[in-house]
Amino acid sequence: MLPGLTCRPLTTDDVPAWAELLDRAAAVDRPHVRDSPEWLRRSLTADGFDAGAQSLAGVDPDGVLRAVAVVELRLGDLEHLRLPCDGVVDPAWRGRGVGQALLAWGESAARDRVTRRRRELGREVTADLQVWAADHRDDVARLCARAGLTPLRYFSTMRRTLPEGQEPPAPQVPEGFRLVRFDDHGTAGLRDLHNAVFADHWGSQPLTEADWERFVVGNPDFRAAWSFGLLDPEGDLVAYANVYAHESDWPALGFAQADLGNLGVRRDHRGRGLAQVLLAAVARRAREVGTAAVSLDVDSENPSGAVGLYERAGYVRVHGDVLRAKAL
């Protein structure tokens, strides 16, 4: 299946070797995000993930892990199935057709998972195989083009630096509203707010409780003590900012960084400056805990004007990603 490699599904015992493989690839590929070993382990044991059918490991004759691919499907996808294929090939094994074979396996595994999901749903739904890659990865662009995946969306990583000794201004909370931190207030009602806020965003579908636990509040990088919500005069949660600490990225960055994962305001409360309040609160808290910057990812075609909002808050673009897709 993979030229020169013995293939089998991944197991949790592979996590250390998988992390080492990612380190070898990172030295060449210069990724701006890294997956921690804990995240890799959790991805293999997540609810609804079948490692036997949705993962592939390629091992050389000496038993060294040289290639990995994982195909995912979120449980909450009901109207359109998104199947990201995430793969890596050891730089020493590139140019042998391993990447092409890895992506072909990913498409086959994705088609099988789509067939199962359609049967579970009892109806036909559209589906895409997806590959995310940094915009400087010309090798991935060529590989995807040969496999029939075309650019679907462009995303930007933006960063606000937080110079030491320069405390960001305090957030100006509107009268009647209350700013709370999620380690104090808890996250009750946050999933419902998130699903409502992102209902009108491109590609968004509701997160199930299992996906919410895996990707958001149960994510080992989630920092409730760095994350904020805004309560309206009636005490309802109407806006929020979830923040993460992807510490596996810090050595390559050369500094500690807070990552703003989600920022949302309920539709009937937009236009009141609540997003700016949350951005200010996050920046101030990030400086308090000793990080040197706040980073976020934004859809470059976001119709809500998010890019302009972040620019006004002091964020500048530092990286780009391309989402490529193929209908299944």
Side-chain angles (χ1 to χ4, degrees), residues 72-83:
E72 304 224 23
L73 173 62
R74 291 195 177 186
L75 300 178
D77 284 2
L78 300 177
E79 304 306 323
H80 178 74
L81 309 182
R82 300 162 296 177
L83 294 101

Side-chain angles (χ1 to χ4, degrees), residues 73-183:
L73 173 62
R74 291 195 177 186
L75 300 178
D77 284 2
L78 300 177
E79 304 306 323
H80 178 74
L81 309 182
R82 300 162 296 177
L83 294 101
C85 180
D86 188 15
V88 59
V89 178
D90 192 312
W93 276 74
R94 295 178 185 178
R96 309 184 191 192
V98 176
Q100 185 175 356
L102 208 62
L103 185 53
W105 170 86
E107 180 174 344
S108 177
R111 290 187 183 278
D112 288 344
R113 190 67 186 87
V114 167
T115 298
R116 289 172 51 194
R117 188 62 174 145
R118 286 170 174 161
R119 187 162 54 243
E120 292 166 0
L121 294 173
R123 68 179 189 278
E124 286 294 312
V125 290
T126 56
D128 282 338
L129 175 69
Q130 300 184 343
V131 172
W132 293 79
D135 57 9
H136 69 265
R137 292 292 305 275
D138 293 338
D139 56 335
V140 176
R142 292 190 296 269
L143 184 67
C144 287
R146 288 196 295 270
L149 286 88
T150 57
L152 179 64
R153 209 78 175 180
Y154 297 86
F155 294 81
S156 294
T157 298
M158 305 181 73
R159 179 180 297 137
R160 175 180 176 177
T161 57
L162 303 170
E164 190 172 354
Q166 297 182 25
E167 187 176 42
Q172 302 300 306
V173 182
E175 185 177 354
F177 287 78
R178 184 159 64 96
L179 182 69
V180 297
R181 230 169 56 192
F182 286 132
D183 59 331

